[in-house]
Amino acid sequence: MKKVAIIMGSDSDLKALTGAMDTLKALEVPYAVRVISAHRTPEAAAEFAKAAAGEGYGVIIAAAGKAAHLAGAFAANTLLPVVGIPMKSSTLDGLDALLSTVQMPSGMPVATVAIDGAVNAALLAAQILALSDGALTRRLADYRAAQRAKVAEKDRQISEAYSNL
Ligand code: RP5
């Protein structure tokens, strides 16, 4: 199976990315986790992106905060789909990173999820890999079914506790 690369711009982003790792683990999708910065280690970012397809990666998740150019810098150097996560790591609560990540010019797409949207980034990456992997599609369907069951149970509990009929 193709791997997912989870790249963060700084180790200070790590905590907000555990949801992505847990989700990929639950879906049995192999992933690598790296700290590579578009600004502080630009050569490493370009090298990783250029080599990624040949090294068995199928999707790159790039998470960065502030002037967040990491996802775009990766997209510029690979034809693999890049999922960008704007991180809430600044005094602007991530709005700066959201705009930096989402406002890519035509011709260079980045699939941007919500600020700190690590779980959705992982799910999107898994859904992309599932296009050519039936077993992963079934695991994603199970994930959705479990989610539905959880919401139904919360509905039952809250309706029972709060309704006044
Ligand atoms: C970005 O700047 C990183 O992705 C991080 O979110 C933010 C702050 O980095 P540190 O100064 O904490 O290393 O490049």
mmCIF file of all heavy atoms in Angstrom, residues 60-79:
data_model
loop_
_atom_site.group_PDB
_atom_site.id
_atom_site.type_symbol
_atom_site.label_atom_id
_atom_site.label_comp_id
_atom_site.label_asym_id
_atom_site.label_seq_id
_atom_site.Cartn_x
_atom_site.Cartn_y
_atom_site.Cartn_z
ATOM 1 N N ILE A 60 0.703 13.575 0.416
ATOM 2 C CA ILE A 60 1.499 14.328 1.393
ATOM 3 C C ILE A 60 0.555 15.220 2.194
ATOM 4 O O ILE A 60 -0.239 15.972 1.612
ATOM 5 C CB ILE A 60 2.561 15.191 0.684
ATOM 6 C CG1 ILE A 60 3.603 14.283 0.031
ATOM 7 C CG2 ILE A 60 3.231 16.156 1.668
ATOM 8 C CD1 ILE A 60 4.592 15.009 -0.857
ATOM 9 N N ILE A 61 0.644 15.123 3.510
ATOM 10 C CA ILE A 61 -0.067 16.049 4.391
ATOM 11 C C ILE A 61 0.968 17.042 4.902
ATOM 12 O O ILE A 61 1.990 16.641 5.463
ATOM 13 C CB ILE A 61 -0.716 15.304 5.582
ATOM 14 C CG1 ILE A 61 -1.829 14.371 5.094
ATOM 15 C CG2 ILE A 61 -1.274 16.295 6.596
ATOM 16 C CD1 ILE A 61 -2.434 13.496 6.197
ATOM 17 N N ALA A 62 0.716 18.328 4.687
ATOM 18 C CA ALA A 62 1.679 19.350 5.114
ATOM 19 C C ALA A 62 0.981 20.304 6.084
ATOM 20 O O ALA A 62 0.000 20.955 5.732
ATOM 21 C CB ALA A 62 2.204 20.120 3.907
ATOM 22 N N ALA A 63 1.495 20.361 7.313
ATOM 23 C CA ALA A 63 0.880 21.178 8.359
ATOM 24 C C ALA A 63 1.830 22.292 8.763
ATOM 25 O O ALA A 63 2.988 22.026 9.107
ATOM 26 C CB ALA A 63 0.569 20.312 9.580
ATOM 27 N N ALA A 64 1.349 23.532 8.710
ATOM 28 C CA ALA A 64 2.216 24.642 9.112
ATOM 29 C C ALA A 64 1.379 25.803 9.616
ATOM 30 O O ALA A 64 0.204 25.955 9.250
ATOM 31 C CB ALA A 64 3.089 25.092 7.952
ATOM 32 N N GLY A 65 2.010 26.624 10.443
ATOM 33 C CA GLY A 65 1.328 27.782 10.987
ATOM 34 C C GLY A 65 1.958 29.071 10.505
ATOM 35 O O GLY A 65 2.915 29.068 9.727
ATOM 36 N N LYS A 66 1.397 30.181 10.954
ATOM 37 C CA LYS A 66 1.873 31.537 10.601
ATOM 38 C C LYS A 66 1.863 31.740 9.084
ATOM 39 O O LYS A 66 0.872 31.453 8.429
ATOM 40 C CB LYS A 66 3.238 31.789 11.231
ATOM 41 C CG LYS A 66 3.179 31.752 12.762
ATOM 42 C CD LYS A 66 4.456 32.219 13.400
ATOM 43 C CE LYS A 66 4.242 32.333 14.913
ATOM 44 N NZ LYS A 66 5.469 32.629 15.632
ATOM 45 N N ALA A 67 2.967 32.223 8.501
ATOM 46 C CA ALA A 67 3.030 32.406 7.041
ATOM 47 C C ALA A 67 3.259 31.022 6.433
ATOM 48 O O ALA A 67 4.371 30.662 6.055
ATOM 49 C CB ALA A 67 4.163 33.351 6.674
ATOM 50 N N ALA A 68 2.178 30.244 6.337
ATOM 51 C CA ALA A 68 2.279 28.798 6.096
ATOM 52 C C ALA A 68 2.434 28.475 4.611
ATOM 53 O O ALA A 68 1.454 28.302 3.910
ATOM 54 C CB ALA A 68 1.056 28.106 6.665
ATOM 55 N N HIS A 69 3.673 28.341 4.170
ATOM 56 C CA HIS A 69 3.935 28.045 2.763
ATOM 57 C C HIS A 69 4.332 26.589 2.530
ATOM 58 O O HIS A 69 4.668 26.212 1.412
ATOM 59 C CB HIS A 69 5.025 28.980 2.222
ATOM 60 C CG HIS A 69 4.605 30.413 2.278
ATOM 61 N ND1 HIS A 69 5.345 31.393 2.902
ATOM 62 C CD2 HIS A 69 3.485 31.022 1.835
ATOM 63 C CE1 HIS A 69 4.702 32.545 2.816
ATOM 64 N NE2 HIS A 69 3.575 32.345 2.182
ATOM 65 N N LEU A 70 4.290 25.790 3.593
ATOM 66 C CA LEU A 70 4.796 24.420 3.478
ATOM 67 C C LEU A 70 4.029 23.589 2.451
ATOM 68 O O LEU A 70 4.636 22.951 1.585
ATOM 69 C CB LEU A 70 4.734 23.737 4.853
ATOM 70 C CG LEU A 70 5.386 22.357 4.939
ATOM 71 C CD1 LEU A 70 6.882 22.453 4.673
ATOM 72 C CD2 LEU A 70 5.151 21.739 6.310
ATOM 73 N N ALA A 71 2.699 23.618 2.524
ATOM 74 C CA ALA A 71 1.904 22.799 1.592
ATOM 75 C C ALA A 71 2.156 23.245 0.150
ATOM 76 O O ALA A 71 2.330 22.416 -0.750
ATOM 77 C CB ALA A 71 0.425 22.884 1.946
ATOM 78 N N GLY A 72 2.188 24.539 -0.079
ATOM 79 C CA GLY A 72 2.441 25.051 -1.425
ATOM 80 C C GLY A 72 3.826 24.708 -1.919
ATOM 81 O O GLY A 72 4.014 24.370 -3.097
ATOM 82 N N ALA A 73 4.796 24.767 -1.022
ATOM 83 C CA ALA A 73 6.168 24.438 -1.414
ATOM 84 C C ALA A 73 6.262 22.963 -1.809
ATOM 85 O O ALA A 73 6.975 22.602 -2.748
ATOM 86 C CB ALA A 73 7.126 24.741 -0.265
ATOM 87 N N PHE A 74 5.522 22.100 -1.104
ATOM 88 C CA PHE A 74 5.504 20.682 -1.484
ATOM 89 C C PHE A 74 4.779 20.494 -2.809
ATOM 90 O O PHE A 74 5.244 19.785 -3.694
ATOM 91 C CB PHE A 74 4.872 19.832 -0.380
ATOM 92 C CG PHE A 74 5.882 19.362 0.622
ATOM 93 C CD1 PHE A 74 6.292 20.176 1.665
ATOM 94 C CD2 PHE A 74 6.465 18.117 0.496
ATOM 95 C CE1 PHE A 74 7.261 19.759 2.562
ATOM 96 C CE2 PHE A 74 7.434 17.683 1.398
ATOM 97 C CZ PHE A 74 7.829 18.501 2.432
ATOM 98 N N ALA A 75 3.628 21.147 -2.944
ATOM 99 C CA ALA A 75 2.845 20.996 -4.180
ATOM 100 C C ALA A 75 3.669 21.401 -5.397
ATOM 101 O O ALA A 75 3.545 20.803 -6.476
ATOM 102 C CB ALA A 75 1.573 21.833 -4.086
ATOM 103 N N ALA A 76 4.514 22.400 -5.238
ATOM 104 C CA ALA A 76 5.316 22.913 -6.356
ATOM 105 C C ALA A 76 6.329 21.893 -6.862
ATOM 106 O O ALA A 76 6.816 22.001 -7.979
ATOM 107 C CB ALA A 76 6.032 24.193 -5.934
ATOM 108 N N ASN A 77 6.619 20.881 -6.020
ATOM 109 C CA ASN A 77 7.687 19.946 -6.376
ATOM 110 C C ASN A 77 7.247 18.497 -6.495
ATOM 111 O O ASN A 77 8.072 17.584 -6.457
ATOM 112 C CB ASN A 77 8.818 20.054 -5.341
ATOM 113 C CG ASN A 77 9.663 21.288 -5.573
ATOM 114 O OD1 ASN A 77 10.249 21.456 -6.635
ATOM 115 N ND2 ASN A 77 9.708 22.170 -4.594
ATOM 116 N N THR A 78 5.928 18.261 -6.587
ATOM 117 C CA THR A 78 5.451 16.886 -6.752
ATOM 118 C C THR A 78 4.095 16.887 -7.464
ATOM 119 O O THR A 78 3.373 17.882 -7.409
ATOM 120 C CB THR A 78 5.299 16.179 -5.377
ATOM 121 O OG1 THR A 78 4.874 14.823 -5.593
ATOM 122 C CG2 THR A 78 4.290 16.883 -4.481
ATOM 123 N N LEU A 79 3.788 15.764 -8.103
ATOM 124 C CA LEU A 79 2.444 15.596 -8.680
ATOM 125 C C LEU A 79 1.548 14.806 -7.734
ATOM 126 O O LEU A 79 0.380 14.562 -8.038
ATOM 127 C CB LEU A 79 2.532 14.897 -10.038
ATOM 128 C CG LEU A 79 3.091 15.772 -11.172
ATOM 129 C CD1 LEU A 79 3.303 14.945 -12.432
ATOM 130 C CD2 LEU A 79 2.162 16.941 -11.453
#
